[in-house]
Amino acid sequence: MTSVWDRVEPLLWHVEKPARYIGGEDGSFRDDKGPDAVRWLLAYPDTYEIGLPNQGLQILYGILNEREDAAAERTYAPWGDMEAAMREASVPLFSVESTRPAGEFDVLAFNLSAELTYTNVLNMIDLSRIPLHTAERGPSDTVVVAGGHCTYNPEPLAAFLDAIVLGDGEEVVGELNDVMAAWLATPAAARTRRGLHVALANTEGVYVPSLYTPRYADGVLVGYDVDAEAPATVDKRTVADLGEWPYPRAQLVPLTEVVHDRLNVEVFRGCTRGCRFCQAGMITRPVRERPKDQVLEMVRSGIERTGYDEVALTSLSTADFSGIGDVVAALCDPEQGVPEVAVSLPSLRVDAFTVATAASIQQVRRTGLTFAPEGGTWRMRRVINKLISDDDLYAAVDAAFSQGWRRIKLYFLIGLPTERDEDVVAIARLAANCVERGRAHHSKASVTASVGGFVPKANTPFQWHEMDSPSELHRKVALLRREARATRGLDIRWHDPDATGAEGIVSRGDRRIGAVIERVWRDGGTFQEWSERFELARWEAALDAEGLDLASTALRARGRDEMLPWSHLSAGLHPDFLWGDYESSLAGEGLEDCRWTPCYDCGACTTYGIEHVVAATAPPAGGSQGTGQGLDLTGPVTVELGTTHR
Amino acid sequence: MSDTPRGVSSPVLELPERLRLRYAKLGRVRYTSQRDLARVMERAMRRASLPLRRSAGFSPRPLLSFGLALPTGCSSRAEYLDLRLDHESTTSPGIRVVDAADIDPASLHRLCALLSAMLPDGVDVTAAAALRGPEMSLQEAVASCDWELEVLGVGPAEAAGQVERLLGADAVMVTRERKGREVADDLRPSILSLRVADRPARVLDGHGDVVGIDASVSTRPRGVRPGELCQALGDQVTLLGACRTYQWMENEDRTVRAEPLSEAGVACVGLPARTEVLGG
């Protein structure tokens, strides 16, 4: 493989942020492997500064590069100015480490964390000069694969990907490397794409879309014809013990500023709070905690190696980590050998106890405080199983303002199932009450309420539910803004409802959406996550050209018996559990966290013979969120285990 | 881990409270911005356990002050940075802050090596000096700097003609965008010298002749960026690369110029600091 640096360099004077394209991070890999090693190019389909911190890619980068028979480099989506310069100078997509062309790698592996990046995936395959469609690729073309949270409905990208991995990648990436190595060792004449596809499909957790052919009747998906050599359903992979995988061991330290520019240590994976809108919480079950000593060791060695002055303890709800008290105490104690460091907890639980924890560890430098009540009314929060009372929120906010914070951010969703206008308006009232509480402590206390539009996602209890149209979401945003106008110190921010509509198309659509994505890309629609580059009209025109529309692909409700596009792909959750939980939701019934209460058999543990790895046997003190504690204080909520699944 | 302090081998490193460093920024890393490099420096200093004095407030930052900004994409053999250490800090047992008069040059040498090892490829600390008096800040002190440019779009003879024309002109106007408006500026007062370099010419595949140009530019009335010099040389001239080779302070009657490191009495290691008597 040969570097194209000499051709890249003259372009760098003329583009914005050239540091995006030069690599040079501390912790990056220099290829010293033998010729037989499988060459991976790990790709994030957005800019360098968004993609570099992605922990999924960094974990795989570390695991692959520790193997003798694998070598992994990285690439990111070139921004529009660089893409234009590359195309004009006939420079292909290249790796940031050795500036080698993407098409010379054996595997191009994408992380899919956001659906609106899909047009960038197509653009990057094209810039790599790899045939865009799997069907056009021959035995010597780079193999294009993907993993990440979005793969639970991969159908919109089915035509472009050779294989898709479901679930945790730590173990399966090695198995994929073995399959690739064997295939590459086969004499070229005997090598076929189909042979590779069959071998990949017989690797647990790997979905090969070319072996599954969708069938439609009256414009509706009715089933898949499954190749005789492929399994009928593909199950996700789950790492049983996170303690066995202390990755990334050498987190990359970039030369230029990126998002989440700090040390990140994952304290647990999975969440069983059971928030019904939350795809991440559903597909990553069960909870697997990292041993607290390992967390401390990863913080200590990571800070020492990187020189960062901030560490984030990451998970879906870090205050629920059994070892949080001990870890925090150790990080605050200079005798424990961790240099002075700011600790951030990116996902706070909404209660005063959590705020006290945050305050005790943020003596060095105060980062922002964010809470996510998600719904404006208790009724709404019962429907989505985010069981926070108004009083929980007020207690958390009081604690935060009294501990010296002056600005608080609240996250809400609109367009939730059963939502009424009063639920939307209540968001502004709730936030205004928080401002008023803040004023008791500081005259300039302020609250930012960020509002996103809800997209019901695959493998959640709401996967059958309809979603609000962009115009309905626009109406609700206007309603909210009108209500919030009178409150000084309250700032309402909202996600563009048009972008939510497009996210619905690619999250909920079937394989026919591939042609829509291709049209949007060919029309110049890259970087659709960036509001300045997004236009819903492009998506609507593409749908129209394919004989489809927003209502039937994204918005409409699905029946219980309808074939969902992702019905052959499993996160372990029983469809009956999801349907039962959906019905409970519509009845306003809550469901407790199964970490601390008896199992209700969602399927995530029993299907795969694994279980929670949680050090504490009792729920954390000080809050009611999902733990069943204190629910009686705030009115009647039925929480009847055993009646929710039938 | 052993009992030796992080990043520092024994014996204890004795450093002055105020330090000026010279560093080079060469190779790929030149595509980082000045702001990026400041962050890289901060991390390297934390890894080296330097007890940096920090600003007050909710978000304390280390007190580092950089001199003239280096434009993104330009390399340099002569960048400078002032920093202050905290006597009272207890977080760095391997470092002791002592009076500037007592500094052993070997300590400064060790500091250069320590930081260079913590910095990315292409960034190296090449000199360190104790600051002891009421030195001017780098921003105030530096009067001029020297550049080596590489330009495309003209041959050596044509470039020499352009240089002559430019030096003979009363005014050299360039335009730039400022707050969304085009502003025209005269560069001529800031151009101290300009000539086609006598380095051997080379040809870049697909781009033609690469011509070297040496420039010396004043920081007042305004600094001149390499890209602006190129613009002044002609529309067809584009910049391939630029390296800052020196930054200079001047004495009052402008007869002597010296590197910001080499004020009388400061200790200095690494590449020797340079002082020049300017021809009358």
Side-chain angles (χ1 to χ4, degrees):
Chain A
M1 297 203 282
T2 45
S3 167
V4 291
W5 173 252
D6 286 350
R7 291 159 61 206
V8 169
E9 191 173 11
L11 312 180
L12 295 181
W13 270 104
H14 309 289
V15 300
E16 208 181 294
K17 301 188 185 175
R20 288 165 164 167
Y21 310 107
I22 61 170
E25 305 87 353
D26 189 16
S28 70
F29 165 74
R30 278 175 214 213
D31 194 345
D32 53 359
K33 303 288 173 75
D36 294 339
V38 179
R39 256 75 194 182
W40 292 71
L41 184 59
L42 306 181
Y44 192 90
D46 207 318
T47 59
Y48 178 84
E49 55 271 32
I50 308 285
L52 180 113
N54 183 275
Q55 294 295 291
L57 281 185
Q58 291 206 25
I59 289 168
L60 300 182
Y61 187 69
I63 291 173
L64 285 169
N65 284 327
E66 280 177 16
R67 289 175 66 114
E68 279 299 304
D69 60 351
E73 301 196 15
R74 292 163 292 118
T75 192
Y76 307 89
W79 188 246
D81 57 352
M82 183 63 171
E83 185 203 335
M86 286 164 64
R87 288 192 186 276
E88 203 196 323
S90 295
V91 172
L93 187 73
F94 55 87
S95 66
V96 294
E97 287 90 345
S98 64
T99 332
R100 289 183 291 192
E104 294 186 13
F105 286 80
D106 300 317
V107 188
L108 175 61
F110 285 96
N111 175 287
L112 303 179
S113 293
E115 292 85 355
L116 289 185
T117 63
Y118 289 179
T119 54
N120 286 4
V121 172
L122 271 57
N123 200 38
M124 290 170 77
I125 296 172
D126 185 63
L127 276 171
S128 302
R129 303 190 189 142
I130 299 166
L132 187 66
H133 302 98
T134 315
E136 299 154 1
R137 288 177 203 147
S140 58
D141 287 316
T142 302
V143 176
V144 185
V145 304
H149 283 187
C150 295
T151 57
Y152 286 90
N153 179 19
E155 287 303 299
L157 286 181
F160 315 102
L161 299 175
D162 288 282
I164 291 149
V165 174
L166 303 183
D168 299 335
E170 281 90 343
E171 290 165 351
V172 69
V173 74
E175 295 163 28
L176 285 178
N177 197 74
D178 292 341
V179 170
M180 282 302 303
W183 188 65
L184 293 169
T186 310
R191 224 191 278 164
T192 66
R193 207 79 181 175
R194 176 174 164 87
L196 175 69
H197 283 181
V198 168
L200 289 168
N202 285 285
T203 307
E204 209 181 306
V206 181
Y207 171 53
V208 177
S210 66
L211 304 179
Y212 300 74
T213 309
R215 260 183 290 114
Y216 304 95
D218 300 329
V220 176
L221 178 72
V222 293
Y224 288 95
D225 292 326
V226 183
D227 190 282
E229 295 195 70
T233 59
V234 178
D235 275 287
K236 73 162 179 176
R237 294 295 291 266
T238 309
V239 169
D241 181 0
L242 205 58
E244 288 180 11
W245 300 96
Y247 291 87
R249 289 190 205 271
Q251 184 182 306
L252 294 165
V253 186
L255 296 175
T256 187
E257 194 168 3
V258 299
V259 301
H260 311 309
D261 202 358
R262 59 194 180 203
L263 183 69
N264 293 293
V265 175
E266 185 184 25
V267 296
F268 67 85
R269 196 172 296 172
C271 179
T272 42
R273 288 284 177 184
C275 303
R276 292 169 175 134
F277 58 87
C278 178
Q279 189 189 35
M282 292 290 162
I283 61 178
T284 60
R285 294 169 172 219
V287 173
R288 287 143 295 148
E289 291 187 345
R290 191 180 293 290
K292 68 184 180 204
D293 291 343
Q294 189 179 66
V295 169
L296 275 175
E297 182 45 38
M298 288 174 77
V299 174
R300 193 177 290 134
S301 62
I303 290 292
E304 201 168 293
R305 191 188 67 78
T306 61
Y308 275 124
D309 62 351
E310 183 181 346
V311 58
L313 302 176
T314 67
S315 73
L316 291 169
S317 177
T318 296
D320 290 339
F321 177 51
S322 300
I324 192 70
D326 291 344
V327 167
V328 164
L331 292 180
C332 297
D333 178 1
E335 299 298 303
Q336 301 262 347
V338 181
E340 202 168 70
V341 66
V343 182
S344 64
L345 307 174
S347 46
L348 284 185
R349 212 172 53 215
V350 185
D351 58 51
F353 171 78
T354 306
V355 174
T357 307
S360 71
I361 57 182
Q362 297 199 351
Q363 302 298 342
V364 178
R365 190 149 51 82
R366 285 280 154 105
T367 54
L369 265 198
T370 303
F371 300 110
E374 309 289 2
T377 58
W378 174 241
R379 188 198 71 80
M380 194 73 261
R381 295 193 293 271
R382 271 190 311 195
V383 169
I384 61 177
N385 207 42
K386 184 96 188 186
L387 300 175
I388 302 157
S389 67
D390 289 5
D391 287 341
D392 287 330
L393 177 64
Y394 295 147
V397 166
D398 273 334
F401 283 118
S402 70
Q403 301 272 2
W405 274 278
R406 298 193 178 191
R407 233 178 58 207
I408 284 184
K409 208 165 161 187
L410 302 174
Y411 280 157
F412 293 96
L413 284 169
I414 56 172
L416 289 165
T418 78
E419 183 175 74
R420 308 166 192 147
D421 283 358
E422 66 204 49
D423 297 307
V424 176
V425 170
I427 291 173
R429 299 217 184 103
L430 198 65
N433 289 343
C434 292
V435 175
E436 193 183 317
R437 280 164 186 271
R439 287 271 160 72
H441 300 279
H442 308 285
S443 59
K444 285 184 178 161
S446 69
V447 172
T448 300
S450 288
V451 181
F454 175 58
V455 179
K457 296 254 169 109
N459 284 290
T460 68
F462 291 148
Q463 63 182 349
W464 294 277
H465 201 80
E466 67 197 327
M467 77 175 256
D468 273 357
S469 67
S471 60
E472 175 66 356
L473 290 172
H474 277 294
R475 188 188 68 80
K476 287 177 175 174
V477 168
L479 198 65
L480 185 56
R481 291 178 66 196
R482 199 176 316 133
E483 183 69 22
R485 210 156 36 197
T487 309
R488 197 165 49 90
L490 172 57
D491 184 20
I492 302 276
R493 308 229 170 133
W494 62 95
H495 188 65
D496 178 11
D498 289 352
T500 304
E503 188 186 331
I505 298 167
V506 278
S507 307
R508 289 164 66 80
D510 56 39
R511 201 170 289 195
R512 291 171 294 180
I513 298 303
V516 174
I517 295 170
E518 188 174 334
R519 280 181 186 276
V520 171
W521 163 62
R522 289 197 189 280
D523 189 37
T526 53
F527 290 101
Q528 296 295 282
E529 284 272 304
W530 297 67
S531 54
E532 71 264 37
R533 306 272 301 238
F534 177 83
E535 269 175 89
L536 185 60
R538 259 201 187 112
W539 290 87
E540 287 174 327
L543 282 169
D544 197 47
E546 293 298 322
L548 300 167
D549 60 60
L550 186 66
S552 63
T553 55
L555 307 183
R556 75 183 170 86
R558 321 287 166 103
R560 183 178 187 179
D561 299 323
E562 184 174 338
M563 171 67 61
L564 300 171
W566 50 87
S567 56
H568 53 317
L569 307 174
S570 172
L573 304 161
H574 301 313
D576 286 352
F577 159 74
L578 290 174
W579 183 264
D581 201 37
Y582 178 41
E583 289 193 320
S584 302
S585 155
L586 299 179
E589 290 167 8
L591 181 63
E592 292 182 298
D593 191 321
C594 60
R595 247 173 302 192
W596 305 296
T597 58
C599 174
Y600 45 74
D601 195 15
C602 70
C605 294
T606 50
T607 306
Y608 306 127
I610 51 178
E611 51 192 25
H612 292 306
V613 180
V614 179
T617 51
S624 63
Q625 183 187 340
T627 63
Q629 301 171 80
L631 290 182
D632 51 335
L633 298 177
T634 48
V637 184
T638 325
V639 182
E640 289 174 16
L641 293 178
T643 61
T644 49
H645 39 98
R646 40 209 86 179
Chain B
M1 292 295 295
S2 71
D3 289 328
T4 43
R6 288 192 311 124
V8 181
S9 54
S10 56
V12 167
L13 189 55
E14 296 189 331
L15 295 173
E17 185 187 350
R18 295 174 59 219
L19 278 155
R20 178 165 293 172
L21 305 179
R22 180 181 66 201
Y23 63 93
K25 185 182 180 189
L26 300 166
R28 279 196 192 197
V29 73
R30 71 185 180 280
Y31 293 105
T32 57
S33 67
Q34 181 77 28
R35 188 182 142 83
D36 289 335
L37 197 87
R39 298 165 62 85
V40 166
M41 278 288 173
E42 267 185 50
R43 285 197 300 262
M45 290 182 185
R46 270 196 300 272
R47 288 177 62 194
S49 286
L50 286 193
L52 292 178
R53 183 165 313 172
R54 291 143 69 97
S55 60
F58 249 156
S59 289
R61 306 305 313 172
L63 292 173
L64 298 181
S65 64
F66 289 84
L68 302 178
L70 183 67
T72 302
C74 295
S75 53
S76 175
R77 294 198 284 271
E79 295 303 294
Y80 298 89
L81 153 67
D82 289 351
L83 57 104
R84 296 187 74 139
L85 303 182
D86 186 351
H87 311 269
E88 289 165 9
S89 169
T90 53
T91 56
S92 312
I95 291 172
R96 190 182 309 137
V97 179
V98 299
D99 194 279
D102 300 332
I103 294 303
D104 175 0
S107 289
L108 295 175
H109 196 83
R110 274 175 60 206
L111 175 68
C112 293
L114 177 63
L115 286 174
S116 295
M118 305 287 178
L119 285 163
D121 283 355
V123 183
D124 286 293
V125 177
T126 57
L131 295 179
R132 47 174 64 177
E135 286 90 352
M136 280 192 288
S137 73
L138 284 163
Q139 292 278 3
E140 295 166 319
V142 174
S144 67
C145 37
D146 292 355
W147 287 94
E148 289 176 2
L149 313 184
E150 286 194 317
V151 301
L152 296 172
V154 280
E158 200 184 340
Q162 296 282 46
V163 164
E164 208 163 308
R165 176 191 59 79
L166 202 148
L167 290 173
D170 294 332
V172 176
M173 303 307 288
V174 292
T175 56
R176 61 176 168 155
E177 230 182 64
R178 194 170 163 190
K179 294 179 182 164
R181 286 174 46 198
E182 289 250 304
V183 185
D185 270 327
D186 182 9
L187 297 188
R188 187 62 193 87
S190 298
I191 300 174
L192 303 177
S193 78
L194 192 67
R195 61 189 185 89
V196 175
D198 46 19
R199 293 188 290 279
R202 64 185 178 108
V203 174
L204 185 67
D205 208 18
H207 294 274
D209 283 326
V210 178
V211 177
I213 295 197
D214 292 344
S216 182
V217 294
S218 168
T219 58
R220 297 180 191 92
R222 84 198 250 318
V224 178
R225 299 162 69 93
E228 293 174 322
L229 274 179
C230 250
Q231 192 190 336
L233 282 169
D235 289 341
Q236 76 282 26
V237 183
T238 59
L239 194 60
L240 176 68
C243 182
R244 182 140 68 192
T245 51
Y246 282 98
Q247 295 190 36
W248 301 106
M249 303 187 302
E250 287 172 352
N251 64 349
E252 252 168 51
D253 55 5
R254 311 187 79 173
T255 53
V256 178
R257 62 179 192 175
E259 241 188 291
L261 278 174
S262 48
E263 271 193 11
V266 298
C268 177
V269 293
L271 295 175
R274 204 160 132 166
T275 303
E276 288 180 356
V277 177
L278 299 173

